[in-house]
Amino acid sequence: MTARGTSRAPVADQAAVRAVRDRITGGYYLPGARLTLRELTSATGHDSTALRPVLDHLATTGIVTGRWRVADPRPEHRTARAGALLAAMIDRGAWQAGTLLPALSVLVGILLTEPAHATRALGELADGGVLHLEPKGPASVLPAPANAAARAPWPPRESELLAALPTNTLPGADHSGYALHLVRHAARKRWTRGVCLSPEAMTDQEGRQAETVHRLVTRAFEQTAHRAPTAFPAVRSTAAQVMACHALPTTGPLYERLYRHATLATALAHLADALGAPAVRHDHSAPAPGAVQ
């Protein structure tokens, strides 16, 4: 108590301050993610009594907001990230020129962003001559601009498939559709919570995904190589989405790696569904010449 009988505000424990600040600056939390005492207690070993004044202190520094959310100094980056991934998917041949993109609600799930950022990304791609936007309805893909690099439509070159091979094979990886949907659910839930895995766990997950990418994209290659563009369109589209997500960098802040992991998990689950569709399962023709076995 002070001389006037009021309680003195608790002083933040400097060790706890450093522990929380290091996790934030280390990229463990997405910008805009809400910090919880439960998660921080588990991650740092400091109890909630020590962490409350820490979060209030960090709010005065601008690292977190008054509502204990990680400050987001670059909200426009979410638009740029969504637009770059969508453009990469188009370049990979996920949607051919003249075809319609999925509805906005579907694109939001593919790009793991908010509707406002997806809408802005579509507008920017339309301004760049990649898409045509109608006042209502889905956007359509325009032919590649004359001054732009040529697109790399499906199927990929064999060297691209080999580049997807993991450095180390991880035993016990399950590539069934059911398992991939469980991975997708877990990855999207983690992205929604905004809390990243440790660097070691992320590296392990990336290795397993690389193995799955190679297996599923090779199957897609065998099914669609040298076929008409109208043959197995869902396989071609989702496989191209996988290749675009797989090409995202595995470096940078942990939350950027989590974005790659979560979008790739979504694309892999969709590809597994496409490969398991009746039209694909009932196609018993031999693989095209030169297909990767």
Side-chain angles (χ1 to χ4, degrees):
M1 301 289 288
T2 65
R4 294 187 178 183
T6 58
S7 298
R8 186 183 301 277
V11 178
D13 182 320
Q14 291 304 303
V17 169
R18 286 192 298 272
V20 176
R21 186 172 54 215
D22 288 350
R23 280 183 65 79
I24 294 173
T25 58
Y28 277 87
Y29 305 107
L30 274 69
R34 189 177 189 281
L35 300 174
T36 67
L37 294 173
R38 181 178 180 180
E39 192 278 331
L40 285 172
T41 296
S42 174
T44 67
H46 295 276
D47 61 30
S48 60
T49 303
L51 289 171
R52 286 180 183 276
V54 166
L55 293 173
D56 290 337
H57 167 74
L58 291 177
T60 67
T61 70
I63 296 178
V64 301
T65 69
R67 295 184 177 182
W68 294 356
R69 291 188 180 276
V70 177
D72 188 359
R74 297 172 53 216
E76 71 281 357
H77 176 63
R78 284 180 277 176
T79 296
R81 179 172 56 201
L85 181 56
L86 181 58
M89 289 178 175
I90 292 171
D91 284 340
R92 291 277 179 174
W95 301 283
Q96 301 292 321
T99 61
L100 297 177
L101 290 183
L104 181 65
S105 59
V106 177
L107 285 177
V108 164
I110 292 173
L111 302 172
L112 288 187
T113 191
E114 298 85 357
H117 291 290
T119 299
R120 293 191 196 104
L122 290 171
E124 291 178 2
L125 290 178
D127 292 341
V130 178
L131 299 175
H132 173 70
L133 294 180
E134 293 287 352
K136 294 183 179 180
S140 58
V141 179
L142 294 172
N147 60 346
R151 291 173 182 162
W154 187 264
R157 295 183 298 275
E158 189 170 336
S159 59
E160 291 182 86
L161 294 180
L162 294 175
L165 275 171
T167 304
N168 298 307
T169 300
L170 299 173
D174 190 343
H175 308 288
S176 68
Y178 176 73
L180 293 177
H181 273 277
L182 290 179
V183 173
R184 169 185 176 271
H185 175 74
R188 290 168 70 91
K189 184 176 180 180
R190 183 170 287 279
W191 177 257
T192 301
R193 288 179 55 219
V195 183
C196 296
L197 296 163
S198 68
E200 296 77 18
M202 187 69 72
T203 298
D204 178 78
Q205 291 294 317
E206 288 166 349
R208 294 178 188 278
Q209 279 192 323
E211 187 175 336
T212 304
V213 166
H214 185 262
R215 286 199 184 195
L216 294 193
V217 172
T218 296
R219 282 177 57 193
F221 180 90
E222 292 170 351
Q223 286 290 344
T224 62
H226 308 297
R227 307 290 182 91
T230 55
F232 311 127
V235 173
R236 290 172 177 268
S237 177
T238 52
Q241 291 173 40
V242 165
M243 296 293 282
C245 293
H246 181 69
L248 292 173
T250 57
T251 56
L254 282 174
Y255 57 80
E256 293 294 352
R257 292 173 66 182
L258 180 60
Y259 181 73
R260 177 188 184 275
H261 172 69
T263 54
L264 182 51
T266 297
L268 285 169
H270 290 168
L271 178 55
D273 287 344
L275 288 168
V280 177
R281 291 199 305 266
H282 296 159
D283 180 67
H284 301 297
S285 56
V292 177
Q293 301 295 318

